[in-house]
Amino acid sequence: MTFIVLIIKRIIIENSNNQTTRRHRNIHVNQPSKNWSSKVIPHPNSKPIEPSVRHPSYKEASGNGFLSTFLNKGNYGEYLTYKELTRLKGYHRVMTNLYIPTKSGKSTELDLVMISQKGIFVLESKNYSGWIFGDERNKNWMQMLPGGRKFPFFNPIWQNSGHIQALKAVVGIEEDSYYHSYIIFSERCTLKQIQVTSPNVVVIKRNRLIATIKQTIQQTEDKLTTKEIDQLYERLREYTLVDAETKQAHIRQVSKR
């Protein structure tokens, strides 16, 4: 109890100091000086200030509360990936849990989408443990747990390819070079034998996500302007935070596969 009281006192003191600092800073800034010109001339070597955006919290973006995030392995994996993506520098928008309609009249769920100047990153999150074996050419991959237990699961590269095809129809951008498919596995697993042949497809563990995306960004030319990023973000917002009925319908159609 004493420890909690000390923390609360520390927070109050820090807030008080911050307010005092802001008051002193405002007094200094608001005092006019006859020796300074009102027009600020930038230094010839200074870099232009990049536009920035406030990323909503994972709860705001997904609609998942504390318990549904931390007690659900799938949601928790998405949360960790979402948090990593929002820390990236540069102008970009991150979205999660998009239910996109397909040509068949059903829906497909996209775990995470990042819209950046380098294109649209579509991320499939797999919060698995054990050893993972997979080949892009095969329909099923394999999870192997201690004791030799094996569990097949649908090829996540094929799964994410379906997501991208549905997304293309919604955003109206068909060119493949605009899309980057990322399959993100948990740090709890070991990627033993993974074969990938398609360009713009990456299969990695979450602890390599930021470094790998930065490398992709460095090697890719700009595709979208900041205005186009915002337009795509607004267009896709209607497919987020869907009602419980839509989610249940999606779960039922997945269970029938």
Side-chain angles (χ1 to χ4, degrees):
M1 188 68 180
T2 303
F3 178 70
I4 297 175
V5 171
L6 290 174
I7 292 177
I8 295 174
K9 288 183 177 180
R10 179 65 181 271
I11 293 173
I12 294 173
I13 293 172
E14 288 181 354
N15 288 338
S16 176
N17 291 338
N18 290 336
Q19 292 175 358
T20 302
T21 302
R22 284 195 294 269
R23 284 198 298 269
H24 287 312
R25 188 182 293 120
N26 290 337
I27 292 172
H28 174 75
V29 170
N30 292 333
Q31 288 179 344
S33 174
K34 296 181 180 180
N35 298 325
W36 289 87
S37 170
S38 60
K39 183 177 181 180
V40 178
I41 302 175
H43 191 277
N45 295 328
S46 63
K47 296 181 180 180
I49 299 175
E50 293 185 354
S52 60
V53 62
R54 186 196 78 83
H55 297 287
S57 67
Y58 176 75
K59 180 180 179 180
E60 293 172 320
S62 67
N64 294 326
F66 179 85
L67 293 179
S68 61
T69 297
F70 290 93
L71 297 183
N72 181 293
K73 290 182 179 180
N75 290 343
Y76 185 62
E78 291 175 9
Y79 159 74
L80 294 175
T81 303
Y82 180 88
K83 187 170 65 172
E84 290 292 321
L85 293 174
T86 57
R87 291 174 177 174
L88 276 171
K89 294 182 178 180
Y91 195 85
H92 64 290
R93 296 283 197 136
V94 185
M95 313 182 77
T96 184
N97 298 134
L98 290 85
Y99 288 80
I100 304 294
T102 63
K103 293 181 179 179
S104 65
K106 299 179 180 179
S107 66
T108 186
E109 182 186 4
L110 281 64
D111 288 342
L112 293 137
V113 172
M114 183 178 79
I115 312 169
S116 76
Q117 291 176 300
K118 305 300 180 178
I120 303 173
F121 291 77
V122 183
L123 299 95
E124 176 67 20
S125 178
K126 296 296 182 186
N127 202 27
Y128 291 175
S129 59
W131 290 358
I132 306 297
F133 301 84
D135 189 316
E136 182 179 349
R137 298 167 293 183
N138 297 337
K139 180 179 179 179
N140 291 315
W141 287 20
M142 186 66 66
Q143 176 192 29
M144 182 179 290
L145 297 178
R149 293 174 296 161
K150 298 179 180 180
F151 299 92
F153 60 97
F154 185 63
N155 185 332
I157 296 178
W158 291 16
Q159 182 182 7
N160 217 31
S161 177
H163 294 163
I164 291 173
Q165 292 305 314
L167 193 60
K168 285 181 177 181
V170 170
V171 302
I173 301 175
E174 293 289 338
E175 190 176 335
D176 289 336
S177 64
Y178 275 77
Y179 298 89
H180 305 273
S181 177
Y182 271 62
I183 314 301
I184 312 301
F185 280 91
S186 164
E187 292 94 333
R188 299 183 299 117
C189 77
T190 300
L191 301 179
K192 294 295 288 185
Q193 296 177 11
I194 306 296
Q195 300 294 327
V196 179
T197 56
S198 296
N200 288 2
V201 174
V202 176
V203 180
I204 53 171
K205 292 168 65 172
R206 190 177 296 112
N207 57 1
R208 292 291 304 156
L209 173 60
I210 296 303
T212 305
I213 282 189
K214 284 182 177 179
Q215 185 177 15
T216 299
I217 289 173
Q218 292 174 355
Q219 297 173 349
T220 307
E221 62 180 12
D222 286 355
K223 301 287 187 181
L224 301 168
T225 65
T226 55
K227 182 178 180 180
E228 289 170 332
I229 291 171
D230 290 339
Q231 289 173 341
L232 290 174
Y233 177 79
E234 291 300 326
R235 188 180 305 174
L236 291 174
R237 283 183 66 184
E238 67 176 284
Y239 303 105
T240 64
L241 300 175
V242 299
D243 56 34
E245 183 179 349
T246 301
K247 291 183 179 181
Q248 288 301 319
H250 176 75
I251 292 172
R252 287 194 297 270
Q253 76 180 48
V254 171
S255 65
K256 293 178 181 179
R257 292 177 181 174

